[in-house]
Amino acid sequence: MKTVCKRLHRGDDLLIEIKALCVEHNIAAGVALSGVGCVSRARIRDASGINIREINRHMEIVSLNGTVSAARCHLHIALSAEDLSTYGGHLVEGCIINTTCELVVGILEGVRYDMEQDKETGYDEIVFNKM
């Protein structure tokens, strides 16, 4: 597995930067291996699949995982506040880096992520294809 590493800076949007990294490196199939840093604002979709919550607090990224590619990103994030309470859900645009984020993405060779509409879930779901 190859890896791509990038340090994000204050004011960067976490999801936008991950998408740009995947496009820049033409990643057909990848996985978020690590995302360590902190945010000043978070936007995450809760388990309903509908509601997006905005949290305007300084928080540490304690987990970032999911599938990434130039075509699609599906990421979940967990964040810890100063009182050690945690928030987690589906990462959406608007999660803003506070001081830094050390991002590591693994590139899966010989695999390509595609999407197809799933009648059961109502979403465009991932399809794993060999290249």
Side-chain angles (χ1 to χ4, degrees):
M1 176 187 321
K2 294 181 181 178
T3 57
V4 177
C5 306
K6 182 175 184 178
R7 178 174 172 238
L8 306 184
H9 300 274
R10 184 184 313 273
D12 286 343
D13 185 299
L14 180 57
L15 184 56
I16 289 172
E17 292 296 324
I18 292 169
K19 288 178 178 178
L21 181 78
C22 290
V23 169
E24 177 185 347
H25 293 276
N26 197 30
I27 297 173
V31 61
L33 296 175
S34 182
V36 177
C38 53
V39 300
S40 58
R41 181 180 81 185
R43 290 190 74 236
I44 52 179
R45 192 180 72 214
D46 66 23
S48 73
I50 299 168
N51 301 314
I52 295 177
R53 313 285 179 107
E54 184 168 319
I55 306 148
N56 289 295
R57 296 176 74 176
H58 289 250
M59 295 181 287
E60 292 284 344
I61 301 168
V62 293
S63 178
L64 177 67
N65 61 65
T67 53
V68 299
S69 73
R72 68 179 306 279
C73 290
H74 183 188
L75 292 157
H76 290 183
I77 191 167
L79 302 155
S80 176
E82 289 177 1
D83 64 2
L84 302 180
S85 59
T86 55
Y87 299 88
H90 181 92
L91 180 65
V92 297
E93 290 183 11
C95 197
I96 306 301
I97 300 302
N98 183 21
T99 54
T100 193
C101 177
E102 301 159 6
L103 181 65
V104 181
V105 172
I107 300 170
L108 306 176
E109 297 175 1
V111 180
R112 183 184 73 241
Y113 299 154
D114 290 314
M115 294 180 294
E116 68 180 29
Q117 179 69 27
D118 185 299
K119 293 176 186 174
E120 185 177 328
T121 67
Y123 292 104
D124 287 336
E125 299 287 3
I126 195 167
V127 177
F128 302 95
N129 289 308
K130 291 188 178 188
M131 292 177 55

